[in-house]
Amino acid sequence: PHLAALVLARGGSKGIPLKNIKLLAGVPLIGWVLRAAIDAGVFHSIWVSTDHDEIEKVAKQFGAKVHRRSPEVSQDSSTSLEAITEFLNHHREVDIVGNIQATSPCLHPSDLIKVADLIQKEGFDSVFSVVRRHQFRWSEVKKGDNKMTEPQNLNPAKRYRRQDWPGELYENGSFYFAKRHLIEKGYLQGGKMAYYEMRAEHSVDIDIDIDWPIAEQRVLSFGYFGKEPLKEVKLLVCSIDGCLTNGRIYVTEDHKEMVSYDYRDIVGIDLLKKRGIQVRLISDRDCSKTLSAMQLRCVAKVNVTNKLQVLKDWQEDMGLSWKEVAYLGNEESDVECLKQAGMSGVPADACAAAQKAAAYICKSRGGCGAVREFAEHIFLLLEKVNSARKQ
């Protein structure tokens, strides 16, 4: 049977405008779950249902197909079931839908693989995600009622210790898998049902209980970054114009060129060096005098016609794997380098082709702290590498 992953990503949001493609730890929010769905390898097709052009563009960048939903199921009052039903009406080949929530960025492929087995091999009609919580519940007392609250799942005279109580299972909304015949009857859950218990650290729902900065820390600690394990970065190669500088060239009356840079970026380069990471610079044009004036004490290659070849030469000379190389670029000439490097980033104002090729998009613009920000991102991921080693 045809198993399709479906991510519902409406353009409207009462809280955060275009939340579904807002950058979370350098990746559009929807990108985290699409990456997990693609790498799971269990879906015959992967779809995003949306009513917005920008969300469609991001979905396609991550390898998903797009179903343009109708205005009738794109309202604030529209339900997930209505949007899924419309999708099935347009795609008769689909037998099972795995509805994955875009706001669950810590979802891992291993979870999706196990759920696919439950519904395809063990014969369940619907499977949904839950998380175990250790929370004591009390009955609600409305204001003005002269009533006492009552315990719902505990005896106050004999409160459980956490380690002595298994807790309770709650839906976390990460995903709902269901067969077509159930959805056509108006159900997302029904028939032979099963739950799938997710690890608490992977159960992150931005819609409900977490704000953006906290979510970024959770994703950096527990998110899924790809099939291959992260490795410690040994080399950062940074494009000069548009990354280290803002790309503008000022010309004086006596024909001398001047550029500006942000001192924060210089600090970022120094911090990388102190962590044992080599920093090398690259440019399409001859900016030797600029580099000399900046006194960065970095290996640099200027007037380059083939940046990828220079990057390969440096990687081979240092005896590094690509996973140990990071690249920060911003132009079309950087695209192949961004694709090749194990860790890639671009400033916020990079060209569209570079943004599409990069794994991390900075909040800062070129020449305005992007190098420092990318350095901080590298440090956070190195902490993840070190944590994995200890485990």
Side-chain angles (χ1 to χ4, degrees), residues 163-190:
Q163 59 267 39
D164 296 331
W165 182 42
E168 297 179 329
L169 297 177
Y170 290 80
E171 286 187 28
N172 67 356
S174 285
F175 53 76
Y176 296 87
F177 282 57
K179 292 182 177 176
R180 173 185 280 273
H181 70 86
L182 271 179
I183 296 169
E184 289 177 341
K185 291 177 182 177
Y187 301 102
L188 273 178
Q189 295 159 299

Side-chain angles (χ1 to χ4, degrees), residues 13-83:
S13 173
K14 291 182 178 179
I16 304 171
L18 287 179
K19 171 188 61 189
N20 290 313
I21 55 173
K22 178 178 167 66
L23 295 182
L24 179 72
V27 176
L29 178 60
I30 198 173
W32 290 100
V33 295
L34 289 177
R35 178 190 290 165
I38 291 168
D39 285 358
V42 295
F43 297 104
H44 297 92
S45 59
I46 296 171
W47 295 83
V48 170
S49 170
T50 187
D51 60 338
H52 199 279
D53 292 343
E54 285 301 309
I55 296 176
E56 175 175 354
K57 184 168 72 173
V58 172
K60 289 179 177 178
Q61 285 178 1
F62 277 85
K65 299 179 180 181
V66 172
H67 169 76
R68 288 298 294 225
R69 64 167 73 180
S70 67
E72 289 76 23
V73 297
S74 302
Q75 309 301 315
D76 288 341
S77 58
S78 300
T79 66
S80 296
L81 184 61
E82 290 171 340

